[in-house]
Amino acid sequence: MRMTHRSIADSNLRGINANLVAVAKLQQQATSGVALNRPSDSPSGTATAMRTQGDLALNGRYAANASLAKTTLSSADAALDAMHDQLSMVRDRVVQGANTGSLTASGFEALALEVDSLGQGILAMANRQVGGRPVFGGTTSGSQAFTAGAGGVVTFGGRLDVPEVRVSPTEVVQTGVTGTSALGPDGANVFDLVADIASDLRTDPGALSARLAQLDQALTRLSDARTVVGVRAARLDTVVVLNAETELDLSGQLSSVMNIDQAKTYTELAMREYGYQAALSASAKTLQTSLVDYLR
Amino acid sequence: MSGFSALNLANSALTANQRALEVTGQNIANVNTEGYTRQRLELRAGNTAQTYTFYSQSDNLGDGVNSETVSRIRDAFLERRGLAERGTVASTTAVDTAFDQLETSFGEPSKTGVQSLLTATSSAWSQLSATPKDSAAREAVLASNRSLASSLNGLAASVDKQWSNTRGGTVDVLTEVNASLREVAELNDAIRTATVQNLNTNDLLDQRDLLVTKLAATIGASTVDGPDGTVNVVVGSTAVVTGNGASTVTLGGGVSLGAVPATPVVLTLGNGGPPLSPGGSVGGQIKVMNEVLPSYRTALDGVAAQLASTVNTALSTGFDQTGGAGGPMFTGTTAATLTVALTDPARIAAAAAGPVGADASSDGRLADRLSVLGQAPGSAETLYRGAVTRLGVEAGSATRAVASASAVAAQVDLARASVSGVNLDEEMTNLMVFKQSYAAAARLVTAIDEMLDVLINRTGLVGR
């Protein structure tokens, strides 16, 4: 084949340019640490990266949701514990009132006042809020789970369904328990019982011993509710751990798609730079010489 | 044969070698000129008696050397291949550049693209589902949906802008193309006149070849030889230059991206004449305007429509913070027109359950359902990811098409250069050869001169 200096120069230029383009791309990858800059770098990798980035962001959201749910459940647990304690104290007063025949009317009145105030304490606990929401009020928009109506009768003012929070792509956890399941249905709830006991202390101490069975039933309901809350909180703990593991997995997956393999990139960069230099030096040699140098 | 005819012979040799040196000089001078074809002086031994008759006799050795023709050394087949490959390179490059720009507009994968905003929206819905009474969470849902909508608007606008820029650029290129077509016709005319008068047309031919090469790259033109050294320029199967008559080409069809599916962009002969099927960069741009950009615009519209319909449908089944039925989040069903219609954060339907009496439900189940909408098959997110993956695949193959077309074109160019290109070594050798030959011819003149000197000055002197 007949060669010309022009075509040698052109093909040298093409070769040098091809090497330089490769060097520039590798250098960009090495300095940014990112291998995936545009969809055409790896179409399937791009899809994976986009999905993984989304999953990662949502996973972070689920962790925040779980921590919020945990707060609500802890609060419910503490409230149930306090109510249990207060109701136990009511039980103590009932036992005292039923067994002590020597109590005077003012003694009974003192016990009744104490029971009244314990009832107020239980009501305060039952209306405990987290983030403006009554913990035992279900999905009510109001701020009270239980409200004292006319004549001091306390009724449930919330809603029966319990709020739910998503803690993983496949799992939702209920945050809390319904007020009626922990404190009894309207007309036969803890507050009615406490009010009855106070009235018995004042007017009919003989009826007190019959209240003990009812009190035990109410205490059992509170314990059961606490168990439910505890189980949900324990489930959340597991979910939080799983969530952290998922985050690690996803980050690893994202990094394997998005980021460069350092060793591979640097080796390739070194090779390409070597090729570039070889192309430059070869061009310098071939383009230098021609017959002009030797003719006089 | 006389001594004077030998002088004539020497003279023709001197002239021939001098011309050969001139041609060599022309070659050297144009070693780097684009489109230059190397030339060669055709030498032919001169003879006096060309016709022989009965009893005629000639003792003539010939009368030196003829050196009238300077020919261009080219391979018509390679020239045609070169034109075709140039057209392919230009066309694939136009498509690749468009994909490149489209990839930049989409800007995936990133932390700022539409995908990240879709995720942010899901995240905001999930937050709202956990805290339905929190007005900050409601505002966050509105804000994230607004930025999602405006990002889709922006993406659609940049695709539209790319389309109109492409059309504007193509119209500019066609102005140049029409000028070139006219020039080719003028050169055809000049070449015909020169050929008829038997003048050297090589430089005119080179100029015309250069123009034709440019036309091949811009509109994928090819040539058909006509009479008297003229060429006809052909696009597809329609002649745009015939002899000294040039037609014009104009861009017809839709003038905006929205009009394209109904009226595709087309290159026509004259103003609104029959459609041509151009190659080259214009052919590539027309493909970009008719196929590439509309298909991604349609994909974006699909994402916007799916987003609007799924979100609005879900919201219509729920209840807002006041217990009222949920209103639609979006109006508009295309990527350019998608807007967030809701302005009051309290009117976002986060609850799946209706109010009981005056007590609106504060459950976040609907918000939760909206937060996982993207994971369902056929969701807006899935459609968008599909579009980006397709973009990646098509952009990659467009780049590879350019690489392979360029490689083929480089090979053809090399083959063409190996026939038509100027090799300095060769020209140097020729320089030397012709210089020596010139010296030899000059020596011949000296020899004849001395011979005549002997004859005139030294003879007839006997006895003087």
Side-chain angles (χ1 to χ4, degrees), chain A residues 135-208:
Chain A
V135 174
F136 299 103
T139 58
T140 180
S141 292
S143 56
Q144 302 271 306
F146 291 90
T147 44
V153 179
V154 176
T155 52
F156 181 63
R159 295 177 59 127
L160 291 175
D161 44 351
V162 178
E164 289 170 348
V165 156
R166 181 168 293 274
V167 291
S168 84
T170 49
E171 190 172 354
V172 287
V173 170
Q174 294 191 320
T175 60
V177 286
T178 337
T180 48
S181 72
L183 296 164
D186 282 354
N189 61 19
V190 171
F191 309 104
D192 296 330
L193 181 60
V194 172
D196 288 349
I197 287 167
S199 123
D200 283 352
L201 279 169
R202 287 190 180 100
T203 57
D204 185 11
L208 279 173

Side-chain angles (χ1 to χ4, degrees), chain B residues 102 159-160 163 256-262 264-265 285-302 390:
Chain B
L102 210 49
V159 175
D160 284 357
W163 195 95
S256 72
L257 203 165
V260 158
V265 174
Q285 305 288 31
I286 289 180
K287 184 181 172 204
V288 168
M289 285 187 279
N290 285 344
E291 295 166 31
V292 177
L293 295 178
S295 93
Y296 285 95
R297 187 58 214 280
T298 311
L300 284 177
D301 285 349
R390 180 161 68 89

Side-chain angles (χ1 to χ4, degrees), chain A residues 3 38 40 133 139 141 166, chain B residues 100 103 359-360 362 368 423:
Chain A
M3 287 307 291
R38 41 199 325 131
S40 56
R133 266 177 130 174
T139 58
S141 292
R166 181 168 293 274
Chain B
D100 208 47
E103 276 190 305
D359 185 11
S362 73
D368 179 55
N423 180 337

